[in-house]
Amino acid sequence: MIGYLDLPSGLSGDMFLSCLVDAGWPIEALQEVLSHLPLPVGSWSVSAEPVMRGPMRATLVTVETAEDHHHRGLRDIRTLIEAAGLPDSVRSSAIATFTRLAQVEAKVHGMPVEQIHFHEVGALDAIVDIVGVAAGLHALGITELYASSVPLGSGWTQSAHGALPLPAPATLELLASVQAPTYPAPGPGELITPTGAALLAQHATFHQPVMRLQRIGYGAGQRERAWPNLARLWLGEAEDARPTASAQRASSMVQIDR
């Protein structure tokens, strides 16, 4: 099966999770995956509910944690993920996603990767998002993932380093690392988070595939905006883009009246 992320309002980690759950991955399965992480009992919870974003129904996955401002380095996160009883592909892709984040954070702040301590993206909610997305793609049997162009908004956001322009520097570096196509967002604000950008850089190829559609997952963003704040995950089978022999014969028989 292949997937295509249609991103009219950008992407965050929880929007990606919401798409996967809406596409058929049970929230209980996500909770089971996360239970394998060596985290304190009661330090996290995930839930899903149907919501409306404008005139459209979607699923909203909410990640709640009891931990604030816990800064972890790449080694800490790698140790945590490797200790979990996860499939090899899930474990390796989650670690690779965090490695991408460490590399761009090091570039942005002019520090060696080994000295980087994540702030926002090192918190429990980012670990839940990144491990959860890797597990959800695996569980749904999505072997290839594609994505649309990425809408980038403007403005400012507050971080542990102070005020940062939007798109956040780490977001831009992650998208630039894979030469992601971008376009102006329909309005201001942070439409692509660093976690969302890292997941796209790790998992997606940026073009729309030829595919036979089977179902669509609608993932809501946490914020209400002036437009439907959601992402759509199209699922289906890859199709051969070449015309069939019968179509070629039919085309060759077309006559133009003069």
Side-chain angles (χ1 to χ4, degrees), residues 96-248:
T97 303
F98 268 108
T99 301
R100 288 178 183 271
L101 279 165
Q103 291 168 343
V104 299
E105 290 281 354
K107 181 177 181 180
V108 167
H109 300 297
M111 298 171 60
V113 171
E114 296 77 16
Q115 294 182 18
I116 288 296
H117 280 78
F118 297 115
H119 298 284
E120 289 81 2
V121 296
L124 270 179
D125 54 353
I127 295 171
V128 168
D129 291 342
I130 289 172
V131 173
V133 165
L137 292 170
H138 176 80
L140 290 176
I142 299 173
T143 57
E144 295 179 72
L145 183 70
Y146 301 86
S148 68
S149 297
V150 179
L152 296 181
S154 60
W156 294 85
T157 186
Q158 289 295 323
S159 75
H161 301 286
L164 293 174
L166 292 175
T171 296
L172 280 182
E173 290 290 347
L174 285 159
L175 296 176
S177 71
V178 291
Q179 300 183 23
T182 68
Y183 66 94
E190 186 175 33
L191 271 66
I192 300 288
T193 65
T195 302
L199 289 166
L200 287 173
Q202 177 62 31
H203 294 287
T205 300
F206 291 93
H207 72 85
Q208 184 175 344
V210 178
M211 63 189 298
R212 185 175 295 274
L213 282 173
Q214 295 178 350
R215 63 185 185 274
I216 314 297
Y218 298 83
Q222 296 286 341
R223 296 182 179 181
E224 291 280 4
R225 299 191 183 274
W227 58 88
N229 185 22
L230 51 78
R232 301 188 294 184
L233 176 61
W234 308 5
L235 295 181
E237 299 298 331
E239 280 281 288
D240 193 336
R242 295 171 298 180
T244 63
S246 58
Q248 289 176 327

Side-chain angles (χ1 to χ4, degrees), residues 34-159:
L34 298 176
S35 71
H36 292 289
L37 293 170
L39 298 171
V41 175
S43 63
W44 61 269
S45 67
V46 292
S47 60
E49 61 179 323
V51 296
M52 297 298 294
R53 289 294 180 259
M56 301 178 67
R57 180 213 61 82
T59 290
L60 175 66
V61 168
T62 300
V63 179
E64 296 182 349
T65 68
E67 175 188 29
D68 291 321
H69 308 301
H70 190 112
H71 301 165
R72 296 181 176 89
L74 180 59
R75 180 179 299 178
D76 302 319
I77 292 174
R78 183 186 295 117
T79 299
L80 187 151
I81 294 173
E82 287 177 343
L86 300 171
D88 289 344
S89 62
V90 173
R91 186 168 56 249
S92 62
S93 66
I95 291 172
T97 303
F98 268 108
T99 301
R100 288 178 183 271
L101 279 165
Q103 291 168 343
V104 299
E105 290 281 354
K107 181 177 181 180
V108 167
H109 300 297
M111 298 171 60
V113 171
E114 296 77 16
Q115 294 182 18
I116 288 296
H117 280 78
F118 297 115
H119 298 284
E120 289 81 2
V121 296
L124 270 179
D125 54 353
I127 295 171
V128 168
D129 291 342
I130 289 172
V131 173
V133 165
L137 292 170
H138 176 80
L140 290 176
I142 299 173
T143 57
E144 295 179 72
L145 183 70
Y146 301 86
S148 68
S149 297
V150 179
L152 296 181
S154 60
W156 294 85
T157 186
Q158 289 295 323
S159 75

